[in-house]
Amino acid sequence: MTDHLHPDCPDTARLGPNRAESLLRARAARVEHDNGTRDRLWSGGFTRRRVLAGAGMAGVAALGAQLVTTRVSFGAPGPGTLVVVFLRGGMDGLSVLVPADDPVLRAARPRTAVSGSLPLARGFGLHPALEPLKKHWDAGRFTAVPALSTPDVSRSHFQAQDVLERGGAASSGWLDRVLAEMGPGTTFRAVGEASTLPRSLVGTSGAVALRGIDGFRLAGWEGAHERTTAALTTLYTGLDHPLAAQAATTLGALRTAGTIATTAYQSAAQYPDGAFGKSLADVARLIKSGAGLRVACVDLGGWDMHTDLATDMTRNLTELGKALDAFATDLGPALDTTTLLTMTEFGRRIAENGSAGTDHGHGSVALLLGGGLRPRTIAGAWDGLAENVQDHGDVPGSNDHRDLLGELVTRRLGLTEANLAKVFPGHDYRRLGALT
C-alpha cells in the first residue's frame, strides 16, 4: 500500500470532499489492501490478540462511534404492530376517563372537576377535549383502562417511569424482552421516535432510534453519498467483531430508510403541528411502507399539572385527541392490525390542591386505539372512589400494568402466556379483557 493512502497522510485530502470523508475512504482502502493479512489473523479462531489486531487495521472503535445510534436486526415480519405512547409527567386519569357521577370526585375537586364529559360505559365519560376519539369508541376501536399501576411504583417521576419501562425488576426494557421472544424481524421492526432509545427498548434485541425517516442518516456525515457508504461497507466486511455486525445492519437500515424517504408519499390525514404529530405521522408512514414495523415508541411530555389543571389538561388533550384521530385516519385499513397504547408513570391524587392542580398519586389510566379491542367496553377492576376504596387519598392500583401489556403482546404480537414469564419475570399474568 502506498504512503499517500495512509489515513494520517495529508495527501488523503484528494480522496473526498472533506477531511472526514477522505479519512474514511483512506481507512477503507487500507482495509481492502490488508484483506489477506486480516484473513490470516482470524483464520485460527477468535482470540483477544486477534481482535485487537483486526480492530487496529479497521479502526472499528473510531468509525463505530460515528454510526447512527441504532441497533437493528433482520428477519420475517410478525402479525401486527404495537405503538406505545408514553405520556410523561403523570397524567391525571380522573380528568381523562371521568367517573362523572362519583360524588367523592365532585366534592374533592370543586374547581377542577370536568363537566360535559362524553358518556362511554360503566359510568365513565371522556374529557370533551378528546371528542375526536368518540367516533372511534362508537366504532369499537377506542377504549380505556382505569386504576393501573404496579406494586413497586413510586411517586418519583424518574423511578416510576423506570419501573414501568423495565416492566418489573429486570434490567432490560420490557419491549426489548418482547422482541427477544418474537425472534428476528426486519430492519425497522422496532423504532423509538427519539434521539436515543426509550428505556423500554434498551437491551440486546435491536431497535432503531430516529427523528423522522427523512432525517435518518449517518450522524456527523452531512452530505454522505454512495462512495462514503461503500467505504464503510468495505471497512467492516469480513471482520469478526461485534461492531462489524452492528455496522452492517446500520448500513442496511440506511438503505431501507433511503428507499422509504425517496418514495413519493402523502399522508392521508392532517396531523396537528408539533413534534408529537410529526412522530405519529412518521410511524404511520413506516407501517404503511411495508417495512415490517412491529413496535414503535413515541413520547409526549407536559402532564405534571400541579397548577391550573383544567386549562392545561384541555390544551394537552386537544393535541392528543387530534393527533390520535389523525393517526387512526391515516392508517386506514392498517388500523385493523395496529394497536396504540398510551401509558403514564402514575396518576394523581383524588383531591385537588391549593393551586387548582393535582399532586402525584397512584392509579393511572391507559388509552387504547386500534384493532382487536373489545367494542365499547371499559375493562379492568373499578370500585369507585369511596374512602374505603382509596389508597391513602389516591386512586388504587387495582389493575396491574403488566396484565394489560401482556394482553397486548399476546393478542397483537403473537406471544404466548409462556413467553410472558420471560417478558415479566415473577409476575402471575391475569388477562384484563380489554382485547378480544
Side-chain angles (χ1 to χ4, degrees):
M1 184 174 190
T2 56
D3 290 341
H4 68 268
L5 286 182
H6 192 281
D8 297 326
C9 177
D11 288 345
T12 56
R14 70 177 179 79
L15 297 178
N18 54 56
R19 177 173 172 76
E21 292 196 31
S22 296
L23 288 175
L24 171 63
R25 292 171 187 164
R27 290 189 180 104
R30 185 175 181 84
V31 169
E32 188 171 18
H33 174 272
D34 287 341
N35 270 339
T37 303
R38 185 181 60 204
D39 291 343
R40 177 179 55 79
L41 283 167
W42 290 86
S43 62
F46 188 94
T47 68
R48 182 175 182 274
R49 182 180 300 276
R50 292 189 179 95
V51 169
L52 294 176
M57 285 192 301
V60 170
L63 269 294
Q66 296 174 25
L67 294 176
V68 184
T69 305
T70 176
R71 294 188 299 278
V72 295
S73 60
F74 294 87
T81 305
L82 175 63
V83 180
V84 179
V85 176
F86 206 114
L87 304 176
R88 299 192 184 272
M91 182 178 71
D92 175 40
L94 294 175
S95 291
V96 178
L97 184 65
V98 187
D101 298 327
D102 196 302
V104 174
L105 182 62
R106 292 198 303 271
R109 298 188 173 190
R111 294 173 295 175
T112 59
V114 176
S115 60
S117 63
L118 310 171
L120 300 180
R122 296 178 64 184
F124 287 107
L126 191 65
H127 192 291
L130 292 176
E131 189 276 334
L133 299 179
K134 181 59 166 58
K135 62 178 178 287
H136 300 294
W137 164 270
D138 295 337
R141 292 182 172 179
F142 172 77
T143 189
V145 178
L148 280 164
S149 188
T150 53
D152 47 359
V153 79
S154 78
R155 294 176 189 267
S156 159
H157 290 294
F158 175 80
Q159 291 178 343
Q161 290 176 19
D162 185 65
V163 166
L164 288 185
E165 293 192 282
R166 284 188 293 110
S171 59
S172 60
W174 75 273
L175 281 172
D176 175 75
R177 299 193 297 277
V178 167
L179 294 170
E181 293 303 300
M182 290 178 66
T186 63
T187 308
F188 281 100
R189 69 164 180 164
V191 168
E193 282 276 342
S195 55
T196 59
L197 282 180
R199 183 69 179 85
S200 58
L201 284 171
V202 169
T204 60
S205 295
V208 177
L210 75 163
R211 282 288 191 186
I213 195 70
D214 291 322
F216 189 70
R217 59 174 64 89
L218 289 173
W221 295 85
E222 297 298 329
H225 44 75
E226 291 183 4
R227 287 185 62 195
T228 301
T229 303
L232 276 171
T233 302
T234 301
L235 190 66
Y236 286 99
T237 298
L239 184 63
D240 190 6
H241 186 280
L243 280 179
Q246 183 169 328
T249 50
T250 296
L251 291 168
L254 289 166
R255 287 191 292 270
T256 302
T259 299
I260 297 172
T262 55
T263 301
Y265 176 78
Q266 180 63 49
S267 173
Q270 181 65 47
Y271 290 83
D273 292 336
F276 180 62
K278 290 178 181 177
S279 291
L280 282 184
D282 204 54
V283 171
R285 182 179 181 182
L286 281 169
I287 292 172
K288 294 191 295 181
S289 73
L293 182 66
R294 294 295 164 249
V295 173
C297 292
V298 181
D299 280 3
L300 179 61
W303 301 93
D304 193 19
M305 300 176 185
H306 291 277
T307 63
D308 203 12
L309 172 67
T311 300
D312 291 347
M313 185 61 72
T314 298
R315 180 193 64 238
N316 281 20
L317 290 181
T318 297
E319 177 186 8
L320 180 66
K322 289 180 178 179
L324 296 187
D325 178 43
F327 180 74
T329 302
D330 195 4
L331 284 183
L335 185 63
D336 290 337
T337 54
T338 302
T339 303
L340 181 146
L341 161 76
T342 74
M343 56 192 300
T344 193
E345 60 262 41
F346 46 62
R348 316 296 287 201
R349 292 186 65 76
I350 296 170
E352 65 185 37
N353 61 27
S355 301
T358 52
D359 298 322
H360 300 178
H362 190 189
S364 67
V365 68
L367 306 180
L368 297 167
L369 174 69
L373 303 179
R374 192 173 295 279
R376 296 171 293 282
T377 301
I378 301 295
W382 176 259
D383 298 315
L385 299 174
E387 187 174 353
N388 66 321
V389 175
Q390 295 179 20
D391 180 7
H392 301 89
D394 292 342
V395 176
S398 305
N399 303 301
D400 198 303
H401 264 111
R402 293 167 294 183
D403 290 330
L404 178 59
L405 302 180
E407 188 169 343
L408 282 166
V409 299
T410 53
R411 290 296 194 270
R412 175 53 64 214
L413 299 179
L415 268 61
T416 66
E417 292 192 19
N419 296 132
L420 294 184
K422 296 180 180 179
V423 176
F424 302 113
H427 176 64
D428 186 14
Y429 169 68
R430 178 180 63 87
R431 187 181 173 206
L432 295 181
L435 282 78
T436 57

